Amino acid sequence: MKKLILFFLPLLLLAEAHIFVLHRIDDFRHPYTNTSSKELKKYFDFLKKNNYKVVKLSTLIKLIKEKKTLKKIVVFTVDDNYKSFYKNGLPLFIKYNFPFTLFVYGKATTYKWGDYMSWDEVKECTKFGELAVHSWAHPHLPSLSDEEIEKDTKKIINVFKKYIGFIPDIYSYPYGEYDERVKNIIKKFFPYIVNQNPGAIDLTTPLDDIDRIALTGKVNIEKKLKIKRLHADIEIVRDKNKILQIKGKVYDKIPYINLYLTKMGWVYKIPVKDGFFSFKPNFELKKYRNRVIIKYNYKIISKMIIKY
């Protein structure tokens, strides 16, 4: 049986799933995190028409662990449990019979802040989707000490026990911000972690660093579904907040890569020689959170860089 799996694994790797992240629905006060229900309906209609299968994130994780095909699999995740999702998004998910994974922001829910669902509304969502964890206080995790990160994480675990009665095993970083230190701490509590780096999912995807594609404003869903996973390792060489070099190993057979760095922009056709690439931008980071994207056609992989 093991030999059979190994034989078909190269074919299975060609099939890729896509995870999308939503925040607010029809809350036009916040355009950078808002998706209109009209656009969401367009996405759902496209998926139905083209025979995509929408599943919960836990289902996708199970498929990956069991080395099953990911062909035409789509996951919708929803961060922050905003009231606008409950009012304007949930009815659409119910209508189309699409499950979802809702990442709960504990403090806002517990303190009943106006823009957020109550715990009763969060529990109601479990009839149609599943719950996951989005921290207690929604902090900028890389700016916290190890002890502060653990304190926030233990707090949300206890709150879930109190209000829900169980602890989900999937975590989403607040703001999508993390580095290796943050990841290593969160991994002690949650085996499955999602980020907000654009990319596709295949059987090689590390389950403690799962990419998601943002759906805000108007998005060409057909184009997003063409994204594939670029198999590469990325190494960042830095001198404090200056990026000296971006280099890596590419496992796919491609002649070059295109590279993006936040506020620096795109650099095109950096050669890949014997599977390796290197670029020396000598670029001072401008923002607190930054992203490196490595791309070839529709193949993409990315990495978060936090400014100290």
Side-chain angles (χ1 to χ4, degrees), residues 1 9 27 52-53 82 118 124-125 131 139 141 150 163 169 173 179 184 201 207 227 242 282 288 304 307:
M1 183 65 179
L9 192 56
D27 188 346
Y52 282 87
K53 185 178 181 181
Y82 285 112
S118 67
E124 185 180 346
C125 288
L131 303 183
L141 291 175
E150 291 201 7
Y163 288 100
D169 54 9
Y173 299 114
D179 53 23
N184 287 334
I201 308 301
L207 295 179
I227 291 175
K242 178 174 278 190
N282 290 316
Y288 174 70
M304 174 69 64
K307 186 176 180 181

Side-chain angles (χ1 to χ4, degrees), residues 196-261:
Q196 289 190 40
N197 296 332
I201 308 301
D202 68 13
L203 298 182
T204 70
T205 295
L207 295 179
D208 60 2
D209 202 5
I210 303 172
D211 293 341
R212 299 185 294 168
I213 301 167
L215 292 182
T216 56
K218 292 186 177 182
V219 172
N220 184 331
I221 192 77
E222 183 176 5
K223 188 174 181 180
K224 295 295 184 184
L225 289 165
K226 290 180 181 178
I227 291 175
K228 297 182 178 298
R229 181 173 179 82
L230 179 62
H231 301 96
D233 297 323
I234 304 172
E235 181 182 348
I236 310 296
V237 180
R238 59 192 291 179
D239 179 11
K240 295 183 179 178
N241 289 317
K242 178 174 278 190
I243 303 303
L244 301 177
Q245 185 181 21
I246 302 169
K247 60 182 179 177
K249 167 73 173 175
V250 180
Y251 300 97
D252 296 326
K253 292 183 179 180
I254 56 176
Y256 63 85
I257 54 101
N258 300 319
L259 183 149
Y260 171 87
L261 176 59

Side-chain angles (χ1 to χ4, degrees), residues 164-210:
I164 304 298
F166 69 92
I167 311 301
D169 54 9
I170 310 174
Y171 184 95
S172 168
Y173 299 114
Y175 309 103
E177 297 172 356
Y178 70 106
D179 53 23
E180 284 302 308
R181 179 182 68 92
V182 169
K183 185 169 84 168
N184 287 334
I185 295 171
I186 297 299
K187 278 171 60 175
K188 293 191 294 184
F189 299 94
F190 298 95
Y192 311 119
I193 308 172
V194 299
N195 56 50
Q196 289 190 40
N197 296 332
I201 308 301
D202 68 13
L203 298 182
T204 70
T205 295
L207 295 179
D208 60 2
D209 202 5
I210 303 172

Side-chain angles (χ1 to χ4, degrees), residues 2-15 64 67-68 203-204:
K2 187 175 181 181
K3 288 183 179 179
L4 187 64
I5 292 172
L6 291 172
F7 177 79
F8 283 108
L9 192 56
L11 294 177
L12 291 172
L13 286 173
L14 296 176
I64 294 171
K67 299 291 187 287
K68 299 288 183 63
L203 298 182
T204 70

Side-chain angles (χ1 to χ4, degrees), residues 32-84:
Y32 292 110
T33 53
N34 185 57
T35 304
S36 73
S37 56
K38 182 179 178 182
E39 286 298 308
L40 191 58
K41 185 178 183 300
K42 286 181 184 178
Y43 307 152
F44 286 3
D45 285 339
F46 180 88
L47 296 174
K48 282 280 190 186
K49 180 180 178 182
N50 291 279
N51 300 312
Y52 282 87
K53 185 178 181 181
V54 178
V55 303
K56 295 180 289 188
L57 181 53
S58 60
T59 302
L60 173 59
I61 290 170
K62 188 172 185 287
L63 291 174
I64 294 171
K65 292 174 71 174
E66 294 177 354
K67 299 291 187 287
K68 299 288 183 63
T69 181
L70 306 184
K71 185 177 181 181
K72 287 204 164 184
I73 296 292
V74 168
V75 174
F76 284 97
T77 62
V78 185
D79 281 10
D80 297 312
N81 60 285
Y82 285 112
K83 183 81 77 173
S84 67

